[in-house]
Structures are given as C-alpha cells and as structure tokens.
Amino acid sequence: MSFAELNTPKRTIMTPGPVEVDPRVLRALSTPILGQFDPAFTEIMNEVMEMLRQVFQTKNHWAFPIDGTSRAGNEAVLSSLIEPGDKVLVPIYGRFGHLLVEICERYGADVHTIDCPWGEVFDSEVVIVEMKKVSPKIVAIVHGETSTGRMQPLEQIGKACRAQDVLLVVDAVASIGGVEVKTDDWCIDAVVGGTQKCLSVPSGMAPISYNERVEKIILSRKKVERGIATEDDNRYMRSSLPIASNYFDLGMLQDYWSPRRLNHHTEATSMVYALREGLRLVLEEGLDERFARHKFHEQALISGIEAMGLKLFGDPDNKLTCVTCVEIPPGVDGEAVRSMLLQEFGIEIASSFGPLHGKIWRIGTMGYSCRKENILSVLGALEACLIRQGAKVNRGEALQAALDIYESKEVS
Ligand SMILES: *Cc1c(COP(=O)(O)O)cnc(C)c1O
C-alpha cells in the first residue's frame, strides 16, 4: 500500500484555536535543524526570551516556552509551585477553570473553588473576599476563557494578591497577542501563554514567564542529583519537597534556558523557529496596533451577526475580543450548520462545552485568522447555511453591516 503526499484541503479557520498560521511562520518551520547547544541556536533561544518579555509586558528575567501544548505551561507552573496540601483558590467561570482545578488536584493541592454562571465573570471584590477567607498560597485563574468568550479583569485581584503575599498564576493562553496582558502592572507572578491562538503559531509550545517570587520557591525545591547539581545549587535551602514532575520541573528548565545550558530535554528546534517568527510578527505589527486590529475586526463581525438577526451570548461588558459566542437560533441544528460550513465553504467555527454545548457557536478572530476576508467569508457563508437549514434571518444584511464598518476605517 502506498500513501499519497500530504495534500490538505484549503480552510478558513475561525475557531478559538488552532488558527491559521502566517506563511512566514510556516517558512520558519522548514529552517534546517541546529544542535540544541550550538551557539547559533542558543542565540536564537535568547532572542525568543527577549521577545517573550516584550509580548508579556514584563521585566521578568524568566520568559521561555515549555514544550507541549498550552496546558503544559499551566502544568509546569502549577506543578513547580504546589506541594501536597497547599491551598489553591480557583475562581471558575468556564471550562478552562476546571482544567486548572484538575491540574492542581493531581499535584495534591487543597483546592478551593468559587463559581459564577457561564457567560459572566467575577466581580473582583468577590474573589478578594474569598481569598481573605481561604488564605491560599496561590490564586489560579483564567484571563481569557475561550469556552464562554469572556475576559476576567485582573488588575484589582493582582494588587490584592500582592498585598496579601498570595501568588497569582494566570492562564493567558487565549489572550496573549490578541488583547492586553500586563504581567507586571497587574502583579501577575506567573503567566502562561499559548501558541496556536492569537500568536498564530502551530500548537505544541506554551510560552511562560515568572518573577522572583516564583523563582524563590522553585530554587528551594531543587533536587540535588549526582552529576547534575553544582556548587551553585547548594546555596539554596532545601526545606521543601522536590518538584514532582521531571519534565515540568521549572528549576531544571530554567537551568537549560540559562547560560549554563544544563541538559534537560531535547529542545523542539523547529517550534522555537516558529515561535520566534510568530513573536517577530507581533512586535513588528506593534502590541497596541495588534490589539486595535483584533477590536476592529470583532466590531465588523458583531455588526454582521446582529444585522443577520442573531443574538450574542454572554455579558457584553466582559467579552473576550477574540472569541464571539453566538446563540444558536431555536429549532436550528447547530452541528448541521457547522458541518455545512466546513463541507460547502471550507470554513470552520467551533461549538462549545458542557452546559453550552448545542446552545452556542464560537467564532474566533485570532492572530492571522483575524482578517477582513475571513470575517466577510464567515458572515456570508453562515447566512447561506442558516437559510439552507430553514432558519429565519435578515437576508443580505450581515455583509452590508460588516462592510459599513470596514468602509468607516480601512485597516488591513
Ligand atoms: C486552548 C486553551 C487551553 C489549552 O490549550 P491546549 O493547547 O489544548 O493544551 C488552556 N487554557 C485556555 C484559556 C485555552 O483557551
């Protein structure tokens, strides 16, 4: 049996990840491999660290990618901080809050949760009051919740955490590179980003950054192994348990990303190239310009959706710019519409999870996928599919409303 050369269909990807990848990133992926200790490669690693600091808006020394998908970043940070019995407070407002709980529990944390209805976010004061009650070591929270399309304001929570000497760990997987994430100004101690969302790099890496408060804990948990530890390691008091994971041990990982280059894993060379090019694109565009672009296309999409007569899901005041949740009209089979979009138009949008499954569609406008041609394609095709499925929509209105926005201000 022979297998044909890869020949994937042409797609317009309008999901909350993975999204389309800029051709420049695809080209970077085909760059020849370098050895992981080759000075030519370690120089590229240092550049990636510097670019990550800028994108995370931080002066932190530590900013590097974890190999693995985005949850690998969450797991690396949480496993390196949590010792069995540590109290962690997780405010949950969607599916990815549950993922944080799941990871914390596996590392033996005493997890306290608070919930709010899906489609809403927490009043910061509610989180702060709960934090005073629980006195956790860590507050772990999602910044951009892709499952509900909401964004949790973090500034007040961050300041309260710092004042009470609580560590703030933030999952900014879906927001980094698409909306403002001010690591230092918001007093975030450890932040986790994702590649396959607003950075528009393939899935497979999770950039993280953390400050000295986090580093101090990591160093206190260093495991001294024959042949690996140096004099340097013995400076640190080892009063705490070693980090439970080898792969996600931030102490070992930061030694590899430091000038010491202590061997840990084999770095994913091609992904480092891809991430570097993705970050270079972000910084070339400019953070403010990039956030404004995401806002602008969101506005065009929303105008189109509403002009069609569809309803948006969730609290509009805390909408996540890069994910638009649309209520599936009564009597319409959401999955039939999605599969027709894919089959007839090559366009992918997402369904949702848990209590929202079958109730909403989620349209992503992230990174390279966040462009005029994509917004107009998804609006036109969605209208056609809805009419085909017998739904009542305002025919012909959606594209006109979006074009009105585009004509009001020309942005690429
Ligand atoms: C996508 C996403 C993740 C998980 O990413 P994987 O790459 O699938 O591991 C985690 N948190 C948030 C908020 C996400 O949107």
Side-chain angles (χ1 to χ4, degrees), residues 139-161:
V139 169
I141 192 165
V142 174
H143 179 224
E145 180 52 85
T146 28
S147 65
T148 64
R150 293 311 103 181
M151 184 165 67
Q152 174 69 50
L154 293 175
E155 197 167 359
Q156 299 313 110
I157 296 172
K159 295 208 161 106
C161 282

Side-chain angles (χ1 to χ4, degrees), residues 16-17 68-74 95-97 99-100 142-147 171-175 192 194-197 203-206 320 362 366:
T69 69
S70 311
R71 69 191 57 209
N74 286 334
R95 181 206 182 197
F96 289 104
L99 175 63
L100 294 176
V142 174
H143 179 224
E145 180 52 85
T146 28
S147 65
D171 171 344
V173 168
S175 46
V192 178
T195 50
Q196 81 271 35
K197 308 210 174 172
S203 177
M205 264 192 171
L320 176 59
R362 296 175 305 142
M366 295 179 153

